[in-house]
Amino acid sequence: MENKKTSVFSNGLIWFGAAVSIAEILTGTLLAPLGFAKGIAAILIGHLIGCILLYLSGLIGGKTEKSAMETVKMSFGEKGSLLFSSLNVLQLVGWTAVMIVSGAAAANAVISIGGGWVWSLIIGALIIVWVIIGIKNLDKLNIIAMCALFILTIVLSTVIFRGNSAVSVSETLSFGAAVELSVAMPLSWLPLISDYTRAAKKPNAASAVSSIVYFIVSSWMYVIGLGAALFAGESDIVTIMIKAGMGIIALIIIIFSTVTTTFLDVYSAGVSSVSVSSKLKEKPAAIVVCILGTILAIFTPITQFEDFLYLIGSVFAPMIAIQIVDFFIIKKDVSKEKADIKNLVIWLIGFITYRIFLHIDTPLGNTFPVMIITAVLCYGFHRIKGINQK
């Protein structure tokens, strides 16, 4: 990794780009059954929970100057962390494919140039260009891309919210389920944020700004999706943009938002690959992940991303809960040990609990209560162990 430190502004730009995403807008459309007021409440509560966790996760990486999967070693040991590093690489390859195929399908709906596979190749190639330029050298390019996306999303918001409600509200989605859908997106970034805050000049400020920017912009994307479903009567955001005569503008939004978001996935997959094997290098590994994701996007029927979100939640929510307790409360570090069996068992309990809570409806979703249960178990076991050793 380069020694060059990143500014607070750079970190803010990175997470602006992460939040502007077709996937976030589409997730927002799923909240339409609640209506506009309840939908916004669920979006804000879910994002508040998710972004507080995002801040704490980023702070761990920023203070230790370690990548996300390197910080995992502090709670689970060197060998114990391999499980999470491997799962993270696998889910990021899948997530890369989902983002590319979604972006390609949307771009092809605006301008067809031979099918979605052509757009998949174009998007994949642009992501590789972003990787080659490197996270430390993207400032100027990111400023241009983010300014363009900012203006274009304002235009999109104006198009969507200029009408009256087009659909009736039907309570077919519980408030707790809506909160969980809102937690899901910031939660999906928990295993990645330290890959960017580790190089921050000011870890506290960088983690805070990253989380605040993501909170505001991601919530905005969800609200655009919610508004599209309620005011335009259409859950396909691309159709709305085409009907509004936003052809080339729609294409720019789709391409840039897909590239800037998916770049973070492939870059972090490269960083996590180094945690799996020190023989690997970050940039080459990231490029390989992008190529694999592009191939999957072209040749496999990947169209749904909700299952990925729940997989991420069940694996990484209890992992992060244990890390937060270990780093901020217990202040322990087992990175030199092979594995921390106690924490691995607690994580397994948290994983099973999350899967159970998927079938239980609570007002705050299932991520928050599962993380509280996991954190209490982790701290409680530590206290009992400490008492027994006296």
Side-chain angles (χ1 to χ4, degrees):
M1 181 185 164
E2 303 165 44
N3 292 323
K4 183 181 175 184
K5 293 288 186 178
T6 56
S7 67
V8 172
F9 181 68
S10 296
N11 278 271
L13 283 179
I14 288 169
W15 292 98
F16 183 98
V20 179
S21 160
I22 295 294
E24 305 240 359
I25 295 174
L26 291 175
T27 306
T29 66
L30 302 176
L31 276 59
L34 287 184
F36 196 63
K38 280 189 176 180
I40 286 182
I43 289 168
L44 295 178
I45 291 171
H47 277 78
L48 182 62
I49 293 170
C51 289
I52 288 172
L53 297 173
L54 197 65
Y55 166 72
L56 294 173
S57 299
L59 200 54
I60 295 173
K63 284 185 173 293
T64 60
E65 297 187 352
K66 293 181 178 180
S67 69
M69 290 300 112
E70 286 296 311
T71 65
V72 173
K73 293 179 181 179
M74 296 166 64
S75 287
F76 297 94
E78 192 161 350
K79 299 297 183 185
S81 70
L82 289 177
L83 167 68
F84 302 103
S85 297
S86 301
L87 288 173
N88 195 37
V89 172
L90 286 174
Q91 67 96 4
L92 287 173
V93 171
W95 196 235
T96 297
V98 169
M99 294 302 293
I100 289 175
V101 78
S102 299
N108 194 60
V110 179
I111 299 177
S112 179
I113 55 173
W117 70 272
V118 178
W119 281 114
S120 291
L121 289 175
I122 292 170
I123 292 170
L126 286 172
I127 295 167
I128 290 174
V129 169
W130 249 250
V131 172
I132 292 170
I133 292 172
I135 194 76
K136 306 288 174 39
N137 302 311
L138 276 172
D139 279 6
K140 290 181 180 178
L141 186 58
N142 266 343
I143 289 171
I144 296 169
M146 296 314 123
C147 285
L149 286 175
F150 180 70
I151 294 168
L152 295 176
T153 47
I154 289 176
V155 173
L156 178 58
S157 300
T158 303
V159 168
I160 288 170
F161 291 104
R162 66 186 177 189
N164 297 315
S165 181
V167 296
S168 58
V169 176
S170 58
E171 293 282 352
T172 57
L173 179 73
S174 72
F175 187 80
V179 169
E180 187 60 28
L181 282 171
S182 300
V183 174
M185 279 297 180
L187 189 70
S188 71
W189 294 109
L190 291 185
L192 283 68
I193 186 170
S194 287
D195 295 340
Y196 309 96
T197 56
R198 63 176 173 159
K201 293 176 185 175
K202 300 176 180 178
N204 278 315
S207 300
V209 167
S210 297
S211 304
I212 291 168
V213 167
Y214 188 82
F215 173 86
I216 294 169
V217 181
S218 178
S219 296
W220 182 9
M221 293 301 107
Y222 270 66
V223 171
I224 287 175
L226 177 65
L230 290 176
F231 294 92
E234 177 64 69
S235 59
D236 186 347
I237 195 69
V238 178
T239 301
I240 294 171
M241 291 191 282
I242 293 172
K243 285 180 180 178
M246 293 175 64
I248 194 67
I249 294 176
L251 188 65
I252 293 171
I253 292 175
I254 292 162
I255 297 297
F256 269 110
S257 65
T258 303
V259 170
T260 56
T261 301
T262 314
F263 160 73
L264 300 184
D265 291 325
V266 300
Y267 176 80
S268 284
V271 175
S272 293
S273 297
V274 175
S275 293
V276 176
S277 173
S278 58
K279 294 179 181 179
L280 298 173
K281 300 295 183 183
E282 289 179 7
K283 278 190 179 181
I287 291 171
V288 169
V289 166
C290 185
I291 292 170
L292 288 174
T294 304
I295 291 170
L296 285 173
I298 294 171
F299 294 106
T300 59
I302 299 176
T303 54
Q304 297 294 322
F305 57 86
E306 290 92 345
D307 288 341
F308 276 106
L309 293 178
Y310 289 127
L311 172 64
I312 291 164
S314 57
V315 171
F316 295 109
M319 181 198 80
I320 292 293
I322 292 168
Q323 282 189 267
I324 289 171
V325 172
D326 279 355
F327 186 82
F328 293 103
I329 302 174
I330 300 174
K331 302 185 186 300
K332 79 170 194 177
D333 182 354
V334 297
S335 54
K336 301 297 182 184
E337 298 177 17
K338 283 189 176 181
D340 189 312
I341 302 301
K342 176 262 296 181
N343 275 353
L344 286 169
V345 171
I346 293 172
W347 169 80
L348 182 60
I349 293 170
F351 175 84
I352 294 169
T353 304
Y354 190 101
R355 305 310 296 184
I356 292 171
F357 265 76
L358 284 174
H359 307 287
I360 300 172
D361 188 29
T362 75
L364 294 176
N366 45 342
T367 295
F368 185 69
V370 168
M371 291 190 74
I372 292 296
I373 291 169
T374 307
V376 169
L377 277 175
C378 183
Y379 181 73
F381 190 93
H382 172 77
R383 292 286 295 170
I384 293 169
K385 185 179 178 182
I387 292 169
N388 289 338
Q389 287 178 344
K390 288 181 179 179

